[in-house]
Amino acid sequence: MYERVSKLLELGGPAGIHLSVHGTMSFCRQNRGWTWRRILPLTAILYLLSVFPAEAARIGDLSETSFWGQATRFFTFQDPAVRYALLGSMLLGISCGLLGGFIVVRKMALFGDALSHAVLPGVAFGFLWNMSKDPVAIFVGATVAGLLGTGAVHLIRSTTRLKEDTALGLVLASFFAVGICLVTMIQRLPAGNKSGIDKFMFGQAAAIGSGDVKLMAVVTALALVVIVLFYKEFLVTSFDPQFARVSGFPVQVIHYSLMLLLAFAVVTALQAVGVVLVSAMLIIPAAAAYLLTDRMDRMLMLSAAFGLFAGAVGSFFSFLGNNLPTGPCMVLGATFVFLGAFLFGPQHGVACRWWKQRSRSGRVRRENTLKAVFHVMEQREFTDEKVSLLELAEHRRETLEEATEQCAALVANGLATLSEPGELVFLTPEGWARACEIVRNHRLWELYLTNEANIAADHVHEDAEKIEHVLGEEVVRQLERRLEFARKDPHGKAIPGLADISRGTGFHTREDLVGYGKPL
Amino acid sequence: MNLIPEFDFQTVFAGPWTEDFSSYGWIMLMGFLVATACGLVGNYLILRRMALVGDAISHSVLPGIAVAFIVSNSRGSVAMFVGALVAGIVTTIIIETIHKRSRVKQDAAIGIAFTSLFALGVILISLYADKVDLDQECVLYGEIAFVPLQESVKFAGHEIGPVPVVRMGVVALVVVALLIVFYKELLVTSFDAGLAFSLGINATAVHYGLMSMLSVVVVSAFESVGAILVIAMLILPGATASLLSQRLPAIHLLTVLHGALSAVLGTHLGLWLECSIAGAMVVVGTGWFVLAWWVHLLCNASWFRRARQIRSEPDPAHALS
Amino acid sequence: MSDTSDPNPPPLEIHDLTVSYHKKPVLWGVDLEVPAGKLIGIVGPNGAGKSTLIKAAMGLMPLNSGWVKVFGEPVKKNLRRVGYVPQRESVDWDFPVSVMDVVLMGRYGRLGLMRRPTREDKDKARECLEKVKLLPYANRQISNLSGGQQQRVFLARALAQESDLYFMDEPFAGVDAATEASIIELLHELKEMGKTLMVVHHDLPTARSYFDMLLMLNMRVVAFGETSKVFTNELLQKTYGGRLTILSEVADAVRQAPSV
């Protein structure tokens, strides 16, 4: 335990969470991808450390104009002015990403939205404290307002018939309206006019000062330490709160400490992302991570990484574009990541699922062609191993073009070869084996249905047409045992066995055929 | 350093009704129309537990408006309505797609869709500031104070009123008319989609119809109250009313009353505090909500006491059966 | 008090329990003393407060009156001796955790705050998974399981809790016949080990053969006792209040079947 904490303090940041979370979940025994899990956070932390001792200057003083000039300036940190902006954006990306992970799996995304709008009056009061943008005063004010908003949602839900969504919308809009009134009142004052309080709406990373960055660092570190230490508690209370309570965990305390951390993360992010869009930084990176992985620990790390990326990208583009608000840029950066995950995620991605389906239907089509070849050979009692395209087309009642096309697909997948003029099809051993398997599956299934399920023999074909493509080896073995290794299907045709499959060719002599059905 | 200006009865209360009525009258009317139209549509959002879809659409009409202005190069009402309608429907479709095609839950899908679209909208109006003529403040809390300054609509030689007010009035009338015509369809589909299906009512069509109506209402209210205060206008009146009554016709009437009171008193509050008038209207509306909540709690408390008496009777099992 | 000095306090003792939900009363004046080492079915019509009773007994719901003691202590103090199998629909099966993670959660209660599961905990979890025949699925994400398998994951988690008193909320809901048989076998095994199990059950005909004792509930305790003694037409009539059509069928079954 202490060793882990000290390691964490030594390394700080994402590397810390990485090590300890990795330790916790090592029973998963899945070392795939450990390299990126290690490299990604380490790179990030080195990058952050390298930029930490920065001197501040006003970004407005910069006068570079060319795109590449600006870009190099931004990422090489020649200019101390940029450092706070970038550092702050990345820190907020990490803390929002981490906490957002819990928000998404707890289905509290819109709660995060309400909370983030409700902090506005607090920002205004924090500003009024001594009429300046004192990070600590604003932090305290906003946190209090956020928690008040949370409490109000809870109160409305528990004392009235109003449903959660209405309660959230109410608190969001009412608190925001109070905040708007206060902000417009402040802007009327001479001191308030130049204060830049309006930058809290859509965020301006350029306005991040050293005080802000320190506060962000503290909050991010706090979030990391708390999540690492109480990972187990957060996990079980998020998954099954009632069970957690029966296990003796203080579910309410854990819930409210998560809310408090969330409020901290939202409030520190305000300066760069703005009140209006900070909830996006909670939801979008975490939702993208949710699409990519099936484990909570990896999801949190990915989410933090995506947040960091979105933060960096957002502050970069808002730095390039003249006076572009930072918040929307970050959100679009995060949306870009989400879109990528949504479309191209290896497991749940839309494109990948489409591709899988496509390749599955391709496979089914090829297997049907193989089966047709088998049938043609069977009609000739396996006296010949070649099948002409014409025969094939006739057998399937198709045009010659269609048969040619399907055989080309077989050739492309190494299941068959075509003779030199291109009219005769020869199955490769692989193709023959697959054809036998498909026919075997089909006939076994027909037999199973008629024998075990008492379905009429003329009703089983349609079902077997579908099942034959999806039967696994294991099920086939079970079926064979169940049917006592029967050799004939309900229509009296032979069921190909292992011996046929291993022969590698459809060619038989008549003598072999006499013995067909007996073990060779 | 006077955050709260001195209270002056003349400017705050008497002024708007006498010499400044020509401008404040329009502001109050506009507030009333926005609150009524939004509140009536909002009632159904609350019933259908879709309050936050209202939140989403009110944000996501922004890119619709921005794109419409950039493409048409004008600020006409038609372009605006078309843009908003398209944006509203696109949002609904995006939410459905994310929700159905992946395992992301609906709440997160809503959060993703509207924040992304809103961000896009803000960037568009920042990049094309010269064409769009909407600034970031307007997006946030509207410019209801500028409503009387807009050019007037002339009809048959008479000046009727400023464009936004007339537009909002027409929209409000259409909303009221549609709600009356489709009252039973809306009620049945909101209450029980299965029953609606068996009665031959197309619940999907009603859903998209409501969403379109929402988009139109939101976009016509947009200029005067902004993207976020619209949510308050959608939810506050209905929520307040549903605390006081459980019958839909009564809720509709209370919604209108709430809108009127918030608009008028909000204007006075805004004048006194010299802050955003739209914001002040919502603050007043929140005040009414808190008041209704208090009344609700009082009634409930007396119910509670009665319930406790029942329970202390000798044989509770009998009281039940 | 005699309770405190009793060397073998009953696993569960409920006195004058009243619970309401959304201000509507669900349970009235429940008195119960559960003997140790029994497999007890809780039956009753829909809305009879079956789930509410076990939730209230575990302290998951506020009580309007009465008290609950688990092994002679208030339930809060003896939570470690209580195991829980919630309804399958009560959690989000898309949650990013593996089968192993869920079963390990059964060990969390004994670990306390901040401590991580040790090797022994993982071995124990593996053992429990083996018992419900789910070890090959340990690394799967939980949504990639069938309904019966998901129910077994919950059972394995409860086993990992190593409690003495188990509450199970409809463990047979949406489970195929084979799984149901293996679950009931497991429950009997647990009973042989001296554990007490209280199982909410909705299917009357099987309730008769599954359980040693039945608790018939309809907002109040109608009957509680040995299955053979309480499974009578009269008590069933009282429990189901003539509200359900199933009653007449079951009544017929009772009349035709030789007395147990």
Side-chain angles (χ1 to χ4, degrees):
Chain A
M1 183 72 235
Y2 294 106
E3 190 187 301
R4 201 175 56 238
V5 176
S6 62
K7 239 183 214 166
L8 177 77
L9 292 176
E10 228 170 80
L11 285 158
I17 190 174
H18 157 69
L19 281 174
S20 35
V21 174
H22 183 72
T24 332
M25 309 299 279
S26 56
F27 62 79
C28 290
R29 298 255 160 81
Q30 290 198 350
N31 282 330
R32 246 180 322 123
W34 69 269
T35 32
W36 71 259
R37 289 167 72 184
R38 217 157 273 201
I39 287 167
L40 201 73
L42 272 177
T43 334
I45 201 71
L46 284 176
Y47 190 59
L48 289 181
L49 284 176
S50 70
V51 300
F52 209 92
E55 292 287 321
R58 289 183 52 81
I59 287 192
D61 299 342
L62 304 177
S63 53
E64 194 80 42
T65 45
S66 87
F67 177 86
W68 288 113
Q70 292 276 55
T72 26
R73 252 198 139 100
F74 187 79
F75 281 111
T76 52
F77 301 99
Q78 296 169 348
D79 222 310
V82 189
R83 290 180 203 173
Y84 283 140
L86 184 58
L87 196 60
S89 310
M90 291 166 130
L91 283 171
L92 85 88
I94 295 172
S95 57
C96 284
L98 276 175
L99 290 160
F102 287 106
I103 294 303
V104 166
V105 296
R106 284 175 170 234
K107 301 192 211 77
M108 289 171 57
L110 296 167
F111 189 88
D113 190 40
L115 173 73
S116 59
H117 281 75
V119 298
L120 187 59
V123 172
F125 277 119
F127 183 83
L128 284 173
W129 185 255
N130 52 6
M131 293 311 285
S132 72
K133 249 177 48 188
D134 177 9
V136 178
I138 289 181
F139 179 82
V140 173
T143 309
V144 170
L147 294 178
L148 275 181
T150 318
V153 171
H154 191 74
L155 257 181
I156 291 175
R157 277 192 64 201
S158 56
T159 60
T160 71
R161 286 187 301 275
L162 297 174
K163 302 293 177 290
E164 179 165 29
D165 61 328
T166 312
L168 288 175
L170 267 176
V171 167
L172 180 159
S174 325
F175 275 65
F176 192 76
V178 174
I180 287 289
C181 287
L182 285 169
V183 167
T184 44
M185 283 157 79
I186 288 171
Q187 281 176 326
R188 184 166 45 74
L189 300 175
N193 199 14
K194 292 189 226 79
S195 62
I197 193 166
D198 52 321
K199 295 281 186 255
F200 276 100
M201 294 298 176
F202 291 115
Q204 192 49 268
I208 292 177
S210 77
D212 295 309
V213 170
K214 275 176 201 150
L215 204 59
M216 282 174 173
V218 169
V219 166
T220 310
L222 182 73
L224 271 170
V225 170
V226 171
I227 288 178
V228 168
L229 290 184
F230 293 96
Y231 176 75
K232 173 178 103 256
E233 285 77 11
F234 284 132
L235 181 72
V236 69
T237 53
S238 303
F239 175 63
D240 191 348
Q242 295 206 324
F243 179 84
R245 246 172 93 181
V246 174
S247 300
F249 288 107
V251 174
Q252 291 295 326
V253 175
I254 294 169
H255 179 78
Y256 284 116
S257 44
L258 190 63
M259 290 303 105
L260 190 68
L261 277 181
L262 185 69
F264 285 169
V266 164
V267 169
T268 49
L270 286 182
Q271 179 73 75
V273 197
V275 173
V276 184
L277 286 169
V278 67
S279 67
M281 288 300 285
L282 293 172
I283 304 168
I284 302 179
Y290 184 52
L291 289 179
L292 292 179
T293 170
D294 275 342
R295 296 290 182 281
M296 192 68 200
D297 54 341
R298 291 178 218 166
M299 177 178 156
L300 288 180
M301 282 184 280
L302 265 183
S303 169
F306 290 160
L308 187 147
F309 169 78
V313 166
S315 57
F316 172 62
F317 278 103
S318 99
F319 172 75
L320 278 188
N322 206 8
N323 215 7
L324 221 49
T326 317
C329 295
M330 285 189 190
V331 173
L332 286 190
T335 309
F336 182 70
V337 175
F338 177 80
L339 260 185
F342 182 69
L343 293 176
F344 306 112
Q347 268 181 311
H348 308 286
V350 172
C352 294
R353 263 188 289 171
W354 175 78
W355 180 252
K356 265 182 217 159
Q357 194 151 10
R358 220 187 96 106
S359 59
R360 194 181 310 138
S361 61
R363 181 172 64 86
V364 167
R365 230 175 298 127
R366 284 197 302 276
E367 287 176 352
N368 283 336
T369 317
L370 283 175
K371 195 171 61 175
V373 173
F374 185 95
H375 285 154
V376 172
M377 286 156 101
E378 194 181 34
Q379 275 167 11
R380 289 194 312 234
E381 296 180 328
F382 302 101
T383 48
D384 208 342
E385 67 176 323
K386 63 176 183 295
V387 171
S388 78
L389 286 175
L390 206 61
E391 276 176 300
L392 198 62
E394 264 170 30
H395 175 77
R396 302 190 71 183
R397 298 195 187 89
E398 287 172 344
T399 60
L400 194 59
E401 284 77 36
E402 277 167 333
T404 317
E405 196 183 308
Q406 278 153 10
C407 288
L410 289 188
V411 173
N413 282 278
L415 297 169
T417 50
L418 284 176
S419 65
E420 206 43 57
E423 284 152 2
L424 298 172
V425 186
F426 295 86
L427 291 187
T428 61
E430 203 186 325
W432 166 254
R434 191 73 201 129
C436 282
E437 277 167 18
I438 290 297
V439 173
R440 177 198 60 192
N441 292 355
H442 182 101
R443 291 177 180 171
L444 270 178
W445 190 249
E446 284 186 341
L447 193 62
Y448 175 73
L449 285 185
T450 45
N451 286 9
E452 307 274 319
N454 294 325
I455 296 176
D458 53 339
H459 286 181
V460 291
H461 179 74
E462 293 303 316
D463 194 35
E465 279 290 291
K466 290 187 204 111
I467 295 292
E468 64 190 11
H469 303 289
V470 292
L471 279 187
E473 260 324 280
E474 208 174 308
V475 186
V476 169
R477 292 288 94 77
Q478 272 179 13
L479 279 176
E480 283 178 337
R481 255 180 313 216
R482 198 68 188 260
L483 299 167
E484 291 163 348
F485 302 96
R487 306 295 309 188
K488 299 274 183 197
D489 77 351
H491 311 291
K493 287 185 178 156
I495 299 173
L498 273 180
D500 302 295
I501 293 174
S502 56
R503 201 169 59 241
T505 167
F507 180 63
H508 268 269
T509 58
R510 292 292 296 171
E511 288 75 30
D512 286 339
L513 266 175
V514 174
Y516 192 74
K518 292 175 190 164
L520 290 169
Chain B
M1 292 292 285
N2 48 343
L3 185 71
I4 299 176
E6 259 176 63
F7 182 77
D8 175 24
F9 186 81
Q10 179 57 31
T11 42
V12 174
F13 273 102
W17 294 102
T18 52
E19 62 254 40
D20 294 331
F21 186 71
S22 58
S23 57
Y24 284 108
W26 289 124
I27 292 177
M28 287 190 260
L29 181 63
M30 184 70 187
F32 169 66
L33 289 173
V34 168
T36 307
C38 289
L40 288 175
V41 176
N43 276 337
Y44 290 95
L45 294 182
I46 294 173
L47 277 182
R48 291 164 165 249
R49 307 190 183 178
M50 285 167 53
L52 292 163
V53 176
D55 178 11
I57 289 195
S58 63
H59 280 83
S60 57
V61 294
L62 181 63
I65 301 175
V67 169
F69 284 174
I70 293 166
V71 171
S72 73
N73 221 344
S74 76
R75 255 197 103 178
S77 301
V78 179
M80 205 167 92
F81 278 131
V82 170
L85 259 182
V86 171
I89 289 168
V90 165
T91 315
T92 320
I93 293 172
I94 292 179
I95 293 174
E96 290 286 298
T97 311
I98 295 180
H99 173 50
K100 295 230 169 93
R101 295 257 159 187
S102 77
R103 56 179 180 159
V104 172
K105 301 287 180 297
Q106 190 169 10
D107 62 328
I110 293 176
I112 293 164
F114 85 81
T115 50
S116 305
L117 285 170
F118 191 64
L120 186 69
V122 174
I123 288 181
L124 281 178
I125 62 170
S126 308
L127 286 178
Y128 297 91
D130 48 330
K131 277 190 186 172
V132 180
D133 191 25
L134 274 174
D135 57 9
Q136 293 172 11
E137 269 91 60
C138 171
V139 167
L140 282 174
Y141 46 86
E143 288 166 336
I144 202 169
F146 298 145
V147 162
L149 307 178
Q150 306 254 358
E151 61 180 299
S152 287
V153 178
K154 286 206 179 79
F155 183 75
H158 297 285
E159 285 201 357
I160 302 176
V163 177
V165 182
V166 174
R167 191 165 55 203
M168 195 67 227
V170 172
V171 168
L173 281 179
V174 170
V175 165
V176 171
L178 284 174
L179 289 185
I180 291 171
V181 171
F182 294 105
Y183 179 76
K184 92 181 166 300
E185 280 80 4
L186 274 168
L187 188 62
V188 172
T189 50
S190 307
F191 173 66
D192 183 349
L195 177 69
F197 184 76
S198 70
L199 291 174
I201 297 171
N202 189 340
T204 321
V206 175
H207 174 76
Y208 278 93
L210 189 67
M211 290 298 109
S212 314
M213 196 151 77
L214 178 65
S215 311
V216 169
V217 168
V218 163
V219 74
S220 40
F222 196 88
E223 259 184 297
S224 35
V225 296
I228 300 165
L229 296 180
V230 161
I231 306 158
M233 298 287 187
L234 283 170
I235 301 172
L236 265 176
T240 312
S242 65
L243 285 184
L244 299 175
S245 169
Q246 295 212 51
R247 296 184 38 78
L248 201 52
I251 288 179
H252 283 328
L253 285 181
L254 282 169
T255 303
V256 176
L257 183 69
H258 180 276
L261 286 173
S262 311
V264 172
L265 290 180
T267 311
H268 292 309
L269 182 71
L271 272 175
W272 172 31
L273 296 177
E274 294 177 32
C275 65
S276 153
I277 290 176
M281 284 178 181
V282 175
V283 171
V284 172
T286 310
W288 292 124
F289 173 77
V290 174
L291 198 65
W293 190 9
W294 185 61
V295 170
H296 177 81
L297 284 182
L298 277 186
C299 295
N300 249 19
S302 60
W303 183 92
F304 224 42
R305 244 171 274 134
R306 242 180 298 139
R308 214 167 290 159
Q309 274 165 6
I310 291 170
R311 211 174 48 227
S312 57
E313 275 169 19
D315 192 357
H318 274 283
L320 257 167
S321 55
Chain C
M1 292 287 283
S2 59
D3 293 355
T4 45
S5 57
D6 191 352
N8 281 318
L12 178 67
E13 198 182 353
I14 295 177
H15 180 73
D16 189 28
L17 179 83
T18 300
V19 182
S20 32
Y21 189 65
H22 284 313
K23 290 171 193 145
K24 292 213 175 91
V26 185
L27 283 174
W28 288 86
V30 173
D31 278 311
L32 205 62
E33 194 177 320
V34 174
K38 296 281 184 194
L39 177 54
I40 299 153
I42 304 175
V43 294
N46 288 332
K50 291 170 291 189
S51 298
T52 310
L53 176 67
I54 61 172
K55 281 184 186 160
M58 287 180 292
L60 290 178
M61 295 191 96
L63 312 181
N64 291 52
S65 73
W67 47 256
V68 175
K69 280 187 178 174
V70 170
F71 295 104
E73 296 271 352
V75 64
K76 283 253 179 297
K77 284 193 186 157
N78 251 343
L79 273 175
R80 186 150 310 167
R81 300 182 69 178
V82 174
Y84 179 35
V85 178
Q87 282 186 12
R88 192 149 52 83
E89 301 83 54
S90 68
V91 300
D92 170 20
W93 290 92
D94 280 336
F95 201 94
V97 283
S98 67
V99 170
M100 189 65 181
D101 295 343
V102 175
V103 178
L104 264 181
M105 284 178 194
R107 306 298 296 170
Y108 283 6
R110 355 192 109 234
L111 288 172
L113 291 176
M114 294 206 339
R115 299 256 312 281
R116 298 197 178 284
T118 59
R119 188 150 296 282
E120 290 93 81
D121 290 319
K122 284 165 199 165
D123 288 342
K124 181 74 202 168
R126 240 174 251 126
E127 194 184 300
C128 296
L129 270 176
E130 180 65 58
K131 254 188 208 152
V132 298
K133 303 190 186 64
L134 279 179
L135 196 53
Y137 302 96
N139 275 328
R140 270 208 198 170
Q141 200 269 331
I142 52 175
S143 65
N144 303 326
L145 297 174
S146 72
Q149 288 170 332
Q150 292 178 343
Q151 196 68 63
R152 270 143 66 198
V153 173
F154 268 177
L155 267 177
R157 184 176 71 172
L159 289 181
Q161 282 184 290
E162 295 189 305
S163 311
D164 299 312
L165 171 63
Y166 282 103
F167 293 100
M168 307 193 173
D169 204 343
E170 305 226 358
F172 304 116
V175 159
D176 60 284
T179 312
E180 185 161 332
S182 66
I183 291 178
I184 199 78
E185 199 177 312
L186 192 70
L187 298 190
H188 277 287
E189 224 172 89
L190 284 172
K191 186 191 74 181
E192 301 303 321
M193 289 159 69
K195 321 257 182 199
T196 310
L197 301 104
M198 299 198 70
V199 181
V200 173
H201 194 57
H202 62 282
D203 184 42
L204 260 187
T206 49
R208 193 177 183 189
S209 53
Y210 283 175
F211 303 110
D212 307 338
M213 295 181 82
L214 282 182
L215 171 62
M216 296 181 162
L217 203 66
N218 192 349
M219 302 184 84
R220 60 200 189 278
V221 177
V222 177
F224 177 53
E226 299 286 324
T227 305
S228 54
K229 296 213 176 80
V230 297
F231 202 85
T232 63
N233 203 3
E234 189 192 347
L235 285 175
L236 286 171
Q237 190 103 39
K238 230 172 151 186
T239 312
Y240 286 86
R243 276 204 278 161
L244 293 179
T245 49
I246 189 171
L247 185 79
S248 53
E249 294 166 34
V250 173
D252 278 340
V254 171
R255 237 172 274 131
Q256 281 160 18
S259 59
V260 182

